[in-house]
Amino acid sequence: MTTIRAEWTKLWTVRSTWWTMLAAVVLMAATAGQLAIYVANGNTNDDPSDDAGVVPVGTVLIDSLELVQYAVLALGLLMITSEFTTGTIRTTLQCTPSRGRVLLAKAAVTAAVTFGLGLLLGGVGALVASPVLGEWGAAPPAGTLRDVVALAAYLALIGVLALGLGAVLRSAVLTLTVLLAVLMIVPLSLREPDITALHRIADAFPGEAGHHLLAGDGQPYPPAVGLLLLAGWAAVALLAGRAALRRRDA
């Protein structure tokens, strides 16, 4: 608990934490509002090809994550990469020699903060999108709550994934580049050829697992499997980060 309290204190005393969270909130509000405008305009213009009909607010929130998630990822990776940049990782490891305990404490704090931030982002997105959608939006309480909680769980898990990769790669820019590749570029590339085996591989990547979790569909697997796949990726990243810390730091 002492290590967790230390990591919690460090997180909230760094100015970048507040700026990153503010950026995520602003991005969610702007993106959700813009997507809601697209839906409303598409349903009221003279072109029937872009009519989306009545759209659940949760769908707008989930679509907004394509951009917003990277601000949240920055929060996770900066938990560790900023310490490598400033050299404070040496003090951290001197105070808590157990590399595994340090990383688990960081993971616990990252998961808690990004989950809470995800709930906030879901609420902000819903508050912005609902009035803009007007009659073209649907916000059933149970369904919207499910979407917001799933959104928060997704952000918590990819935040921990970012932390683990940050411990391995040490560089914020390199970690963000790898995350972009793993979450988006590689799965899209695997889906480009019409080859079933490659599609199955793409479905195992964290971005695709998150999509199935958030969409709540049953194809090619149910949301619970998507959640487990995401948790597996986060766990593997943490194990790799622990191994890197033990191997490279005295």
Side-chain angles (χ1 to χ4, degrees):
M1 289 300 294
T2 302
T3 308
I4 291 177
R5 284 196 295 269
E7 293 300 333
W8 180 268
T9 301
K10 281 193 290 185
L11 177 68
W12 295 112
T13 53
V14 176
R15 194 173 299 174
S16 60
T17 298
W18 298 98
W19 283 113
T20 303
M21 293 179 72
L22 177 61
V25 171
V26 171
L27 276 174
M28 173 56 85
T31 307
Q34 190 64 55
L35 292 177
I37 290 172
Y38 289 156
V39 171
N41 288 347
N43 285 322
T44 54
N45 62 21
D46 295 329
D47 183 4
S49 64
D50 58 2
D51 290 356
V54 176
V55 173
V57 170
T59 299
V60 174
L61 301 181
I62 292 167
D63 290 344
S64 299
L65 275 187
E66 187 171 339
L67 176 63
V68 177
Q69 65 180 335
Y70 292 101
V72 181
L73 285 172
L75 190 63
L77 65 90
L78 286 174
M79 277 285 292
I80 186 78
T81 58
S82 61
E83 291 204 46
F84 285 120
T85 301
T86 60
T88 54
I89 189 66
R90 298 186 186 91
T91 304
T92 297
L93 296 178
Q94 285 173 355
C95 294
T96 308
S98 172
R99 274 59 172 164
R101 188 184 304 170
V102 168
L103 206 54
L104 283 177
K106 288 182 179 293
V109 172
T110 298
V113 171
T114 50
F115 185 84
L117 178 58
L119 295 178
L120 173 62
L121 293 176
V124 169
L127 287 174
V128 172
S130 294
V132 176
L133 288 170
E135 64 179 310
W136 303 112
T144 304
L145 180 61
R146 182 263 172 204
D147 290 332
V148 171
V149 172
L151 179 153
Y154 170 74
L155 290 177
L157 288 170
I158 64 170
V160 174
L161 172 63
L163 171 70
L165 287 177
V168 175
L169 301 173
R170 300 191 174 200
S171 163
V173 174
L174 181 57
T175 302
L176 193 58
T177 301
V178 171
L179 284 167
L180 178 62
V182 169
L183 292 173
M184 185 180 299
I185 297 174
V186 174
L188 286 176
S189 300
L190 289 172
R191 290 193 181 283
E192 191 64 28
D194 190 16
I195 302 174
T196 302
L198 294 181
H199 288 196
R200 294 292 176 264
I201 295 172
D203 285 327
F205 274 72
E208 294 297 305
H211 170 76
H212 295 304
L213 167 65
L214 295 169
D217 55 19
Q219 296 296 329
Y221 46 71
V225 175
L227 181 64
L228 289 174
L229 280 171
L230 271 175
W233 276 90
V236 169
L238 284 179
L239 289 172
R242 178 176 178 270
L245 283 174
R246 292 186 65 182
R247 185 177 67 253
R248 296 187 301 204
D249 297 302

